Amino acid sequence: MRIGQLARSVGVDTQTIRFYEREGLLPPPERQDNGYRIYTERHVERLAFIRRCRILELSLAEIHELQRYQGAPHQPCRAINTLLDDHIAQVRSQITDLQVLEKQLVSLRASCNDDRDIGACRVLEGLSEESMQQ
Amino acid sequence: MRIGQLARSVGVDTQTIRFYEREGLLPPPERQDNGYRIYTERHVERLAFIRRCRILELSLAEIHELQRYQGAPHQPCRAINTLLDDHIAQVRSQITDLQVLEKQLVSLRASCNDDRDIGACRVLEGLSEESMQQ
DNA sequence: TTAAAACTATATAGCCACTATAAGGTCAAT
DNA sequence: ATTGACCTTATAGTGGCTATATAGTTTTAA
Ligand SMILES: [Zn+2]
Ligand SMILES: [Zn+2]
Ligand SMILES: [Zn+2]
Ligand SMILES: [Zn+2]
């Protein structure tokens, strides 16, 4: 199959496929005489794997690491689970940070209503005050 | 004061200050004969404002917009509050997305322990299965 | 006094994971 | 013969910095 069909069947852009190839995540496929890339079912699976990892927001480096593990099936899988644990920890830390952020924003927003002049807007005041610093 | 002192007093890198100047967030300061930038207290305040906005993860475009509002103090502040409301909505949506992500990751992680061969690792299986797609 | 350290300047590239644009070659159908 | 859909490579842009290279200036210390 050609790149367009692969792209449609997995739901990514053709540019993204070429990008993954350049980044070493997708093996370079055979070429037709005219230079067109020709993909196999293996490529579909490989690309789908990448996409599922990306949905979980694993980085390309992490996906690369997982692919290396796939090539060594007789080693213990501790490293894979460690990778996942680290990623989960990072997602949790992002959530916590954003929750702190949300509180600060809501508190700032609550300091003003919509019926003031900008010159008297407490939101702008809040952003201009030293007290808001951290 | 020169750029280094401004940087230290607000807690940013000198490069960041020059970057903000290029982006139009910080007005170009006077220069000494040798070309060195000379800043005033106004610049300190302006940079501190930017930094406080950045702590709240407002984008440079949003900060630019707020600065424009500061120049028109006799207009109603509705636009400011709308900007903040939009930003809060976006932060909340990020939190929700990350919470969904966390659940998926934890569920995937729970499917395996550390004592398997990579060839039998359920985490890798999960990432390779079509069922995980969405 | 001079050499080193610390500061300043500009310009340019890199980060991440794409996305967009340009400029062109290939192929099937009309 | 031309349209249109597809393919190719190369290059630049996104955001908000951060790092590097190269060079000029000021301050400090031997
Ligand atoms: Zn990760
Ligand atoms: Zn207001
Ligand atoms: Zn925002
Ligand atoms: Zn496992």
Side-chain angles (χ1 to χ4, degrees), chain A residues 57-59 62 83 86-88 90:
Chain A
E57 294 208 29
L58 291 166
S59 69
E62 284 166 331
L83 188 156
D86 289 352
H87 190 65
I88 290 169
Q90 200 198 328

Side-chain angles (χ1 to χ4, degrees), chain A residues 1-2 6 29-30 38-46:
Chain A
M1 88 185 54
R2 294 190 311 204
L6 174 61
E30 301 287 314
I38 296 301
Y39 293 97
T40 66
E41 272 306 312
R42 282 181 170 276
H43 288 96
V44 178
E45 284 163 31
R46 188 95 174 239

